[in-house]
Amino acid sequence: MLGNQASLALVIPEAILGATVAGVMALGVSRAARSRGVVAASGSLGLLAAMAVAAWQAAGAHGSVAAFHGNVVVDAMVSLFRLVFFGTGLLTLWFAYASSEIDTRDFADMTALVCASVMGMSFMAAASDLLMMVLAMEFVGLLSYVLAGLKREDQRSSEAALKYVIYGAGASGVALFGMSFLYGMAGDTSIQAVREVLLGGAGEGTRQGAGFAPLGLLAVVMVLAGLGYKVAAVPFHMWCPDVYQGAPTPITAFFSVAPKAAGFALMMRFLSLLLAGVSSRLLSDGLMVLIGVVSIASMTLGNLAALNQRSVKRLLAYSSIAHAGYLLMGVATLPALMSATPDPSGFRAVYFYLVVYLFMNLGAFFVTSHVVTRLGSDDLGAFRALGQRSPLVAGVMAVFLISLAGLPPTAGFVGKFYLFWVVLKQGGAFYYVLAFIGVLNSFLSLFYYARILKVMYLEPSADTRPVAAGPLAVAVLMALGVPTLLFGVWFSPLLSAAGKVLG
Amino acid sequence: MVDHVLSWMTFFPLLAAAAILVLPGRLQSAFKWIAVLGAAVPFLLAFQVWLGFDTHLAADGRALRGAAPTLDAAAYGLQFVERAVWIRAFNIEYFVGVDGVSVSMVLLTALVSLVAVIASVRVARPVEPHHHSIAGIQVKERAYYGLILLLETGMMGVFVALDFFLFYVFWEVMLLPMYFLIGVWGGPRKEYAAIKFFLYTLLGSVLMLLAIVYMYIYAHPAHGSYLLADGSAAPHTFNMMYLSYHTQFEWVSFITGKLLWVLFFIGFAIKIPMFPFHTWLPDAHVEAPTAISVILAGVLLKMGTYGILRVNYPVFPAETLWASTAMAVFGTINIVYGAFCAMSQKDFKSLVAYSSISHMGFVLLGMSSFTQEGMNGAVLQMFNHGTITSMMFILVGVIYDRAHHRDLAGFGGLAKAMPVYTGFAGLAFMAALGLPGLSGFISEALVFLGAFQTHRVATIISASGVILAASYVLWMVHRVFLGPLRKEEYGEFSDLNWREWLSLVPLAIVVVVLGFYPMPVLDLMSASLGALRDFVLAAG
């Protein structure tokens, strides 16, 4: 366990981001804030530097190190998730730069908020102490509320922020309440200490070990409820469509990927620290069924609700709820992690899918943002004949949609394939049913993704003027579209990266 | 002679599609010729495969059953094999090759694709009046040829892939080009037809995906261990040959061989299309442009029956025997029901579409017989139906281009105006009704000969399909070609132009030659099918 000073070297990426936030805020009150370019460039620079350090650390990571007196653990998983968070932040900046929805006077604030919030997320992925979990979650949450309300004159945006706050506060309250049980069991906020109680080691109370399982289950369920809100899983999803629709599109893109990834990172971190090797039938079966049912509910409800949406942002919001469901299938393999020979392959599949999801979902949102900027609406009608008006944008959008639907030869197919593989590998009727409902859902999802394809290519538009795409837009599209295709046919590197999660 | 001939056949169309995609718009007039080239090269390479194919090589399934997995492709009856590790972590390989079953389908794909591209050379001009802009035309022509070539890559890939993952990728890659080709260039109800086709097929294939993943996890080698292309041992495999001949499955809870058999079968049956999964076909065929109908009927339907022979038969031989009666019954329903539907159609194209359902029923019936004649007849029927139906769809397209309608009741006396056209039509439709001397007769006769030994009642009922075929074909000929000219303007219709000649003649030659002498195709498949039959029967 490292002390504070010795730990500093492990959080260089976060330190860089802290400095970037300070720098951008300073820029924000100076004349330079009138130029979005300067702000975007300095924000990007900070994020790129942080990513470079994180990538370097991920490549050299061996085992895990408990840092800051056991408040956080730093391992390959943290570094890998840092890349996801920072990458999303970076792309969000570029989206926002290209978008007309973010005012220039807000641009510096937004940059600072995004950088700070991805910094908080990397602490979510690293938290190994209940207190640290809460602090990181709340830090990210608070910044998100502000980001959602960035368009101050827009009522929808304000409504989104308010909804986000209220739901967020409720969810955090429940999670905190659950954590208080865990604290009560162990008399310590360290997750490791709680695990020892569940394993049957020293505890404060008179009842030992397995006797704590029922209380432990209740507490974990309450914490998962708080995290379910972060990842927008049913039944904690109600905020999602309204917030996604109300927030400025680049921010929506950010919300759809980064907090979800952070929620999954924290969920995986928390569950693996708390339950690794804990052999309690009640806990393993209870959580398996619970997470499995939430997963089924999320994908089914998300997909069904997406079927009839006219607003593409709202449609993608429901699609992201469905994707939370697919990802939860991987988390539902938790019993494998709790066995005597812990097998984290389910969690690795979740990481794999999150990376794929980053590219395809950000891509779909970027195209939507592009359409909103150029044509002023995110209604399906605005996408009419995009195939002729902007062949490149529509073509890449088609790739993203196909990938979201999980069809080969795209990365989305490989991600789903990996998830189904880990679920079927567990064996047992429950997992077969889960996988079966999973594939039926990915079939169902094609209905609405294909609807966008249909509108783009098959429906004529009264307005046939070309929709221009500038060099920045083309660069971002390529940065997102090429990996979406490439990881569909050549995914070994991504697989080996995912293999380092909880390795 | 070209090395890696199957890879070239599969990916050359993709290269041509990429070339079309990146070429500047001012070279637009060259797109169609690049597309012709993209389809002609695989066609020429098909001759190399045909001539170089050793017809005596076949897998001895029973011997393989008791042996350990090997890297020796010849032991599995495979030829022109290319094999390399693709994704090591999942033991996925790039593994292509052909045996007697797939080689005929590869040849058919090469032929039909070339014919379809030639048949579209003119058609690809914009059909909708609101696309007047130059940019629109460019995009559309570019997209059309790009998609049709991508489709050829997908089809070819399905027939040569021997790794399940690769197979599935190719299987799904075909869906989107088809969706767009029907949806953009199709008839009045194109959007509905396109999405119906897409969703139907996808439903089948996601079920198949589950079965594939299950097999990957729960299959264990009966002897020795699975090998990757570089000789290293692998605990799991997607290798179709290993899964067929060297595998013991571990069945967990309610998952059994029968369930997996059914999952695969439904996935393939939708493609055939087998009753009651056939409803997408009339919509898709009727709305698709001519060339796409040709590919749909000529090649895509065969993927269903090919998949059953490639997956269900060798991987689950005992379950296949268990289901053989059901297959025969469904085959019979297809034959009779398809024929009755065809008879009642008012639209020329839907008549041909329903006749496809009827003719694919013969394939199912023949396959389910487990006799040498029946199985040879089934695969020969796949080949023959591919050529005959392609001709019929081109012929329907020819008249639609001139009359701008396909209403059977609206024609009459076309034989006077278009004698050459009528000649070709006579040939194609007589072949379809199974006239002796033309290719359709031989395969149907073989199917009956084989099936009668196993499924007597079903065969007797199916035989009525021939009578029904004669009635809907002759009634159609009567209404369209004979009698007095129904409208003045029909008299001014020009006969076939060079493009139509070029697309019909190769098919007509195949139909006539195989009608007299089917051995060139029968020889290809005979040994492999015999071995497959022995292997399945040994499981009983």
Side-chain angles (χ1 to χ4, degrees), chain B residues 111-165:
Chain B
L111 172 68
V112 171
S113 301
L114 177 63
V115 166
V117 172
I118 293 175
S120 19
V121 162
R122 195 186 57 87
V123 178
R125 295 229 184 98
V127 276
E128 292 128 300
H130 54 263
H131 286 120
H132 283 310
S133 68
I134 297 297
I137 296 171
Q138 281 175 0
V139 169
K140 292 207 126 195
E141 201 162 33
R142 197 196 286 276
Y144 180 86
Y145 289 115
L147 287 170
I148 212 170
L149 290 167
L150 178 61
L151 185 64
E152 185 177 357
T153 291
M155 298 187 297
M156 205 62 101
V158 165
F159 290 126
V160 299
L162 293 169
D163 178 281
F164 258 119
F165 193 89

Side-chain angles (χ1 to χ4, degrees), chain A residues 161-231:
Chain A
L162 194 64
K163 272 199 176 132
Y164 211 7
V165 172
I166 293 171
Y167 276 106
S172 306
V174 175
L176 212 56
F177 195 19
M179 286 178 195
S180 73
F181 288 145
L182 293 176
Y183 174 72
M185 283 158 59
D188 194 334
T189 55
S190 154
I191 301 176
Q192 188 61 33
V194 184
R195 172 168 173 261
E196 272 158 27
V197 173
L198 288 172
L199 279 172
E204 288 278 304
T206 48
R207 293 209 294 169
Q208 300 269 314
F212 275 115
L215 184 62
L217 181 63
L218 179 68
V220 172
V221 168
M222 290 173 90
V223 174
L224 286 182
L227 290 172
Y229 152 80
K230 272 264 178 285
V231 304

Side-chain angles (χ1 to χ4, degrees), chain A residues 12-13 16-17 20 43-55 86 90:
Chain A
I12 293 174
I16 294 174
L17 283 182
T20 311
S44 306
L45 209 63
L47 283 163
L48 278 171
M51 280 175 82
V53 176
F86 302 168
L90 185 67

Side-chain angles (χ1 to χ4, degrees), chain A residues 383-404:
Chain A
F383 284 75
R384 276 212 188 103
L386 201 64
Q388 276 111 56
R389 300 179 69 185
S390 187
L392 180 77
V393 175
V396 185
M397 180 67 164
V399 171
F400 296 137
L401 293 172
I402 293 161
S403 184
L404 283 166

Side-chain angles (χ1 to χ4, degrees), chain A residues 267-268 271-272 275 283-285 287-293 295 325-339 341-351 418-427 430-432 434-435 502:
Chain A
M267 195 184 292
M268 282 152 59
L271 291 174
S272 63
L275 296 174
L283 273 169
S284 72
D285 286 2
L287 287 174
M288 172 186 87
V289 171
L290 188 95
I291 298 173
V293 167
S295 155
Y326 302 137
L327 285 158
L328 281 170
M329 287 202 307
V331 182
T333 63
L334 182 66
L337 198 69
M338 296 170 66
S339 69
T341 49
D343 169 22
S345 60
F347 287 14
R348 288 173 182 162
V350 172
Y351 178 77
Y418 196 178
L419 279 172
F420 291 136
W421 177 62
V422 294
V423 170
L424 286 179
K425 203 172 71 158
Q426 308 303 317
F430 182 76
Y431 287 109
Y432 296 145
L434 184 61
L502 300 175

Side-chain angles (χ1 to χ4, degrees), chain B residues 96-119:
Chain B
V96 296
V98 286
D99 67 357
V101 185
S102 43
V103 71
S104 54
M105 290 299 108
V106 167
L107 303 182
L108 178 71
T109 307
L111 172 68
V112 171
S113 301
L114 177 63
V115 166
V117 172
I118 293 175

Side-chain angles (χ1 to χ4, degrees), chain B residues 69 88 90-93 216 219 221 224-229 231-238 242:
Chain B
R88 194 173 290 278
F90 275 141
N91 306 310
I92 298 170
E93 290 182 309
Y216 176 73
S225 63
Y226 296 137
L227 300 174
L228 288 178
S232 54
H236 303 287
T237 189
F238 281 112
Y242 291 172

